[in-house]
Amino acid sequence: MRCFWSQGAPPVALRLVDRVYIESGIEEKFLKYIFLAKGAVEFIRRNVGLENVKYIDLQEAYAAMVPITLKIPGRYRLIIHTPGPWGHPSFPNKLFEEETGYRFIEDPVVLTSIGAAMAWEVIMVSSKHYDIMKKVIPQFISKARFITNGVDLNRWMDPEIRMLYEKGLLTREGLGGLIKARLRNELQGLIRSYKSIDLSNNAFITAWVRRMTLYKRPHFVTRLIEEGGEFNDVIFILGGKSHPMDKDGLIYMKKFRELHRKYKNVVYIHDYDVNKAKTILKGIDVLLFTPFPGWEASGTSFMKAAINGVPSISSRDGAAVELITDGVNGWLFGSDVRDLVDFANDPRGKEIDEKEYDEFKARFSQVYDMYNTDKERFYLVSLSAILSFVPRVDIKRVLREYYPDLVH
């Protein structure tokens, strides 16, 4: 075995951890996750003590290198965060043999299979994700369950909204009045650093802000903008970055920038980050959540928006199908597909896309009309989003389900 880091090669080790998820080749990627696993194991040994560990949660398949390194059976749970192939990497058997001494039967070796086999429990992150993964890893489904994702209320919920919610004093009138005016004013401060757009009027403000990749369907919002017509007075906030190796994502980053330059009512937040997300997800009127059905394991942006009185127009995917009741605390469109359709190459992908875009546009038009003609009803949906989401997406609920004997 090479184990070059134990032989003293700090420049190589530093290069391996310089950037996560970005590697020059398959071997470097393999070595990176072996190295990170060894570091995690050493941290546990030195700072926690193996005698104090009840179980180790392996977040994503990459962490399956930990039980290979630690070699203690029965201590692991594998949490799978995506049905997509990018979350289930495979490596040549010879790399495992060289670095760990193991000679697996299969070649290449799929990390999800290794992690699931060595774990006593496999956890998905929404009920729909669980259904999808039944067809992806049927050999491990007998040890699987789901725990729907959540968010930290302290981090993401507006303090005034939370205070009124906890005191039982939050009303539709209060939410649609001074609270929304303040949050819109805070959003105005952010937007002005990118473009001179006035948010002080009663314009409808919507946002598509996600990681930029094809299955999240950024083309839905770009098409909506370019078709114009009745939505020319809508303020569109676009945001997100792509993985540098994601060609489709990079194309849509450029597309968002073009729209920013071409249309007065479009602003692109090219450096979208956590702090900007907090301002945007509180200050807009509606969030657009448009993943291709079957590919979003959970999603949390719509949760962060909802707890601040911002309902979503969402495809029927991820945890949205659990949490959104159409017309009550948000709006749904499309079909609840529970297969991993190859949206880029399968003819069904194009058919689903076209049908769902039409439904998306119709639903957007309906919500836009409601905002302009029936504010009371609109803010009733906004209030319902807060009241229904907060108890269900609170991270404390998630932690209680993961660690019932530790969190109270």
Side-chain angles (χ1 to χ4, degrees), residues 229-247:
E230 62 181 306
F231 308 130
N232 285 335
D233 62 342
V234 174
I235 305 299
F236 289 94
I237 299 175
L238 309 178
K241 304 173 199 172
S242 166
H243 187 288
M245 302 302 288
D246 185 337
K247 294 180 181 178

Side-chain angles (χ1 to χ4, degrees), residues 19-253:
R19 301 182 74 180
V20 180
Y21 299 125
I22 299 175
E23 301 86 21
S24 61
I26 191 70
E27 184 174 12
E28 183 178 316
K29 186 175 185 178
F30 175 84
L31 293 174
K32 173 182 289 185
Y33 292 108
I34 282 284
F35 182 43
L36 290 173
K38 287 179 176 287
V41 168
E42 189 62 25
F43 179 89
I44 293 170
R45 283 184 171 135
R46 289 186 183 184
N47 299 284
V48 180
L50 292 177
E51 70 280 3
N52 299 317
V53 175
K54 185 173 182 179
Y55 40 71
I56 298 171
D57 284 343
L58 309 173
Q59 300 290 339
E60 287 282 28
Y62 299 100
M65 298 292 195
V66 170
I68 292 174
T69 303
L70 192 53
K71 301 177 183 178
I72 297 177
R75 295 283 189 96
Y76 314 101
R77 298 191 299 188
L78 176 66
I79 294 85
I80 298 176
H81 290 271
T82 179
W86 52 85
H88 310 284
S90 61
F91 297 100
N93 199 339
K94 68 174 184 177
L95 293 178
F96 284 93
E97 185 176 358
E98 290 173 358
E99 287 297 332
T100 70
Y102 291 120
R103 299 181 66 181
F104 293 102
I105 295 173
E106 63 266 28
D107 191 12
V109 180
V110 180
L111 279 188
T112 298
S113 296
I114 297 298
M118 301 184 80
W120 61 271
E121 187 172 49
V122 180
I123 300 174
M124 317 309 172
V125 293
S126 74
S127 63
K128 181 170 181 177
H129 184 213
Y130 174 83
D131 280 350
I132 295 291
M133 293 305 293
K134 284 180 180 178
K135 302 175 183 178
V136 179
I137 51 169
Q139 69 272 38
F140 300 114
I141 210 66
S142 62
K143 60 169 76 174
R145 64 180 174 122
F146 71 90
I147 298 175
T148 302
N149 276 345
V151 297
D152 185 351
L153 300 186
N154 290 327
R155 187 182 198 194
W156 291 102
M157 194 172 182
D158 178 72
E160 182 183 6
I161 292 177
R162 186 172 184 183
M163 180 270 292
L164 292 172
Y165 167 82
E166 291 178 347
K167 290 184 177 182
L169 299 175
L170 188 62
T171 64
R172 180 192 64 196
E173 294 78 12
L175 178 64
L178 293 177
I179 294 174
K180 279 296 180 180
R182 172 178 58 82
L183 295 175
R184 179 176 284 226
N185 187 58
E186 292 173 5
L187 177 60
Q188 175 75 84
L190 171 65
I191 296 304
R192 278 183 177 159
S193 63
Y194 295 87
K195 200 171 191 178
S196 180
I197 296 180
D198 185 10
L199 304 183
S200 61
N201 57 24
N202 208 28
F204 183 54
I205 308 173
T206 189
W208 192 102
V209 283
R210 309 289 316 277
R211 177 169 63 87
M212 205 80 75
T213 192
L214 194 59
Y215 84 85
K216 295 180 185 289
R217 297 197 289 197
H219 51 284
F220 271 31
V221 69
T222 61
R223 184 172 170 182
L224 190 68
I225 292 168
E226 292 184 307
E227 288 179 353
E230 62 181 306
F231 308 130
N232 285 335
D233 62 342
V234 174
I235 305 299
F236 289 94
I237 299 175
L238 309 178
K241 304 173 199 172
S242 166
H243 187 288
M245 302 302 288
D246 185 337
K247 294 180 181 178
D248 293 311
L250 294 174
I251 288 171
Y252 275 96
M253 286 182 71

Side-chain angles (χ1 to χ4, degrees), residues 226-398:
E226 292 184 307
E227 288 179 353
E230 62 181 306
F231 308 130
N232 285 335
D233 62 342
V234 174
I235 305 299
F236 289 94
I237 299 175
L238 309 178
K241 304 173 199 172
S242 166
H243 187 288
M245 302 302 288
D246 185 337
K247 294 180 181 178
D248 293 311
L250 294 174
I251 288 171
Y252 275 96
M253 286 182 71
K254 293 178 182 178
K255 182 66 174 179
F256 277 16
R257 184 62 179 168
E258 290 172 7
L259 296 176
H260 172 97
R261 290 172 174 166
K262 184 176 180 180
Y263 297 98
K264 293 181 179 180
N265 62 325
V266 177
V267 57
Y268 174 37
I269 312 298
H270 64 275
D271 53 351
Y272 185 67
D273 59 18
V274 169
N275 288 328
K276 294 177 178 66
K278 290 178 181 179
T279 302
I280 294 170
L281 295 177
K282 295 174 186 177
I284 59 175
D285 297 306
V286 163
L287 178 70
L288 306 180
F289 186 76
T290 58
F292 190 95
W295 287 84
E296 188 73 71
S298 171
T300 57
S301 59
F302 74 94
M303 300 178 188
K304 297 162 188 170
I307 61 176
N308 290 292
V310 176
S312 292
I313 299 174
S314 172
S315 57
R316 286 180 163 85
D317 206 25
V321 294
E322 293 176 56
L323 297 167
I324 297 177
T325 300
D326 187 35
V328 176
N329 60 357
W331 299 273
L332 296 169
F333 69 88
S335 53
D336 188 0
V337 178
R338 302 216 169 200
D339 291 303
L340 277 182
V341 177
D342 185 346
F343 53 87
N345 301 303
D346 190 323
R348 291 179 298 165
K350 182 67 174 176
E351 293 173 8
I352 292 169
D353 237 22
E354 284 299 316
K355 182 174 182 293
E356 294 206 349
Y357 176 77
D358 290 342
E359 291 187 31
F360 163 71
K361 185 176 181 180
R363 185 67 82 212
F364 187 88
S365 180
Q366 174 194 344
V367 175
Y368 169 76
D369 289 342
M370 182 191 300
Y371 179 84
N372 287 313
T373 63
D374 193 350
K375 283 287 200 305
E376 288 188 0
R377 185 180 171 199
F378 180 86
Y379 283 118
L380 185 60
V381 175
S382 299
L383 177 62
S384 295
I386 298 172
L387 299 179
S388 60
F389 268 73
V390 170
R392 298 180 68 188
V393 306
D394 187 349
I395 194 65
K396 292 180 181 178
R397 185 272 304 163
V398 179

